[in-house]
Amino acid sequence: LDIEGKRQESNAKKIKMNEPSFWNNREKAVILSQEVEELDKEVKKWNDLEKQIVDLEELVAVANKEEDNSITKEAREKFDELKENFDELEFHLLLSSKYDRNNAIVSIHAGTGGVDAQDWAEILERMLFRFAEKKGYRVKILDRNTGNEAGIKNITFSITGLWAYGYLKSENGVHRLVRISPFDAESMRHTSFALVEVLPELPDDSEIEIKDEDLKIDTFGSSGPGGQSVNRTESAVRITHRPSGIVVNCQNEKSQHQNKEMALKILKSKLHTLEEKLKEEKIDKLKGGVQTAEWGKQIRSYVFQPHTMVKDHRTGYETSDLNNILDGNLDSFVEVYLRNNISK
């Protein structure tokens, strides 16, 4: 659990918070304050659990000695409460990968399916926004392109909060929609796809090195907040990483400098993920074959008609409560995914 390590991390960050220049960068100051709050909350929960165990042991000893039914009943109730608290805290132990505590950078791309796919991408956008809201995370749109008729072509946004990447990495992959299309005059059943990419936001001192000569940087008029003045100043930034071919757009920050800084942060995360993927493929090849991530190899299917169902194809877990899932209540899918990965 490394409770002592978390306590020390919190104390070190509190020292930074006491520095005179701490609030010079308000955005970073707020994030650091939230991190300290979450660390303190986590340490307190485990300490409280330890105290609960001691109290319960004492109560059980009294119940056994006095053979009092009312005390025995109280002990059972306290045990149920202890078990519930433990299950909740045990879940956090599943978030043990290197970047699970980090913020997340999420992109959604409409895929095969035309207008239905663009509408589906917007539904997924709302689902993930609602999930983040329920967790108390902060969402910031970095780039968003709407569809001509409905929905969105793509969106990139950051989710800030402790464990954001750990929770959201289960959503990385192709999401498949099956429904009677509201855009089809004949009310035919359509299948469409959207790709969700989830990246960990890397710390500034990460090992990923980006050379200036490998970058092609273009600026253009932003369609985000700021109106005509933003368009005239060409605050939006597009960065192309020549060696990998990765292209990153950012247009919703207040200035060109901020957009460039955020675009480089996203690029760094994409390069890290690409590097990890290449390592995994090399290992898979040695083991006897690589599975390609072809478009349409969905991780999850959402069926609206003739019945309602959401099924995760990686774990086999499914539910008929479609509306609850689309409203951002993803905890059951997240937990099964994490437990399944730990067991492997």
Side-chain angles (χ1 to χ4, degrees):
L1 300 177
D2 192 26
I3 300 300
E4 185 55 37
K6 290 180 174 68
R7 189 181 288 111
Q8 289 175 8
E9 184 183 348
S10 172
N11 290 338
K13 289 182 175 182
K14 282 173 183 172
I15 291 170
K16 284 185 179 180
M17 289 171 67
N18 288 326
E19 292 175 0
S21 60
F22 177 67
W23 287 101
N24 288 357
N25 187 326
R26 184 170 181 80
E27 190 172 347
K28 286 186 177 179
V30 169
I31 291 169
L32 191 68
S33 302
Q34 288 173 340
E35 287 174 355
V36 168
E37 187 182 338
E38 289 293 335
L39 284 166
D40 287 349
K41 202 184 293 182
E42 193 179 347
V43 170
K44 185 179 184 302
K45 280 182 178 178
W46 283 107
N47 287 341
D48 288 349
L49 189 76
E50 195 171 27
K51 187 176 183 302
Q52 273 185 288
I53 293 169
V54 173
D55 291 346
L56 182 58
E57 285 174 339
E58 291 174 357
L59 195 61
V60 168
V62 172
N64 289 337
K65 186 179 179 182
E66 298 185 9
E67 296 183 359
D68 186 324
N69 287 337
S70 63
I71 297 177
T72 302
K73 184 184 177 185
E74 184 186 350
R76 283 175 181 157
E77 287 172 354
K78 284 191 177 295
F79 173 79
D80 290 341
E81 184 186 343
L82 175 66
K83 177 73 166 61
E84 189 179 325
N85 291 341
F86 177 78
D87 287 345
E88 182 189 338
L89 289 168
E90 184 194 32
F91 175 74
H92 280 119
L93 299 183
L94 301 175
L95 301 166
S96 57
S97 296
K98 188 175 180 182
Y99 297 108
D100 281 352
R101 293 168 65 89
N102 291 28
N103 301 328
I105 297 168
V106 183
S107 297
I108 303 173
H109 306 272
T112 307
V115 180
D116 271 288
Q118 292 178 7
D119 187 51
W120 176 225
E122 190 169 40
I123 293 171
L124 290 174
E125 172 194 60
R126 179 187 178 276
M127 180 182 82
L128 294 179
F129 279 17
R130 294 284 288 130
F131 177 74
E133 181 187 322
K134 291 172 194 292
K135 292 294 177 191
Y137 295 153
R138 190 164 63 93
V139 176
K140 187 175 187 180
I141 296 174
L142 306 172
D143 185 52
R144 190 177 193 267
N145 293 296
T146 56
N148 296 328
E149 190 176 333
I152 57 171
K153 294 176 181 177
N154 54 68
I155 183 173
T156 299
F157 54 94
S158 64
I159 297 185
T160 304
L162 194 62
W163 309 113
Y165 176 68
Y167 274 110
L168 285 155
K169 65 183 182 183
S170 63
E171 304 309 295
N172 188 69
V174 176
H175 295 243
R176 173 177 173 255
L177 168 69
V178 179
R179 68 172 178 182
I180 293 172
S181 171
F183 307 102
D184 187 334
E186 297 179 10
S187 297
M188 299 289 286
R189 205 159 78 128
H190 285 239
T191 300
S192 47
F193 300 89
L195 173 67
V196 177
E197 290 182 295
V198 183
L199 307 169
E201 185 180 298
L202 300 182
D204 294 334
D205 59 352
S206 67
E207 296 173 2
I208 298 294
E209 184 186 352
I210 301 176
K211 298 176 182 176
D212 290 341
E213 59 266 28
D214 289 340
L215 302 178
K216 179 176 180 287
I217 301 176
D218 299 305
T219 58
F220 56 98
S222 171
S223 59
Q228 293 178 357
S229 62
V230 173
N231 291 333
R232 280 200 302 270
T233 56
E234 294 198 335
S235 62
V237 172
R238 179 183 296 111
I239 297 179
T240 305
H241 185 250
R242 291 187 176 99
S244 65
I246 293 172
V247 180
V248 176
N249 294 326
C250 189
Q251 62 173 313
N252 278 27
E253 297 288 359
K254 292 177 182 176
S255 69
Q256 188 183 109
H257 174 74
Q258 288 173 311
N259 278 321
K260 182 183 175 184
E261 193 177 328
M262 181 52 72
L264 284 170
K265 191 174 281 190
I266 298 170
L267 177 60
K268 189 183 284 188
S269 294
K270 282 182 175 282
L271 289 171
H272 163 76
T273 303
L274 181 62
E275 196 174 277
E276 292 296 307
K277 188 180 175 185
L278 290 172
K279 284 179 188 173
E280 286 174 15
E281 286 181 355
K282 205 173 279 184
I283 292 167
D284 286 341
K285 199 170 182 180
L286 290 171
K287 287 180 179 177
V290 179
Q291 284 193 338
T292 56
E294 295 170 7
W295 189 256
K297 282 199 170 183
Q298 62 273 4
I299 61 159
R300 196 178 296 153
S301 290
Y302 305 72
V303 180
F304 284 51
Q305 286 98 9
H307 57 280
T308 59
M309 180 192 75
V310 184
K311 179 173 182 177
D312 195 296
H313 301 289
R314 300 162 299 181
T315 63
Y317 180 77
E318 63 180 84
T319 177
S320 60
D321 199 352
L322 173 69
N323 289 333
N324 188 46
I325 298 302
L326 294 180
D327 199 37
N329 296 299
L330 298 169
D331 285 312
S332 55
F333 280 96
V334 171
E335 183 169 351
V336 172
Y337 171 80
L338 290 172
R339 289 189 185 279
N340 190 64
N341 277 3
I342 288 289
S343 65
K344 288 177 181 177

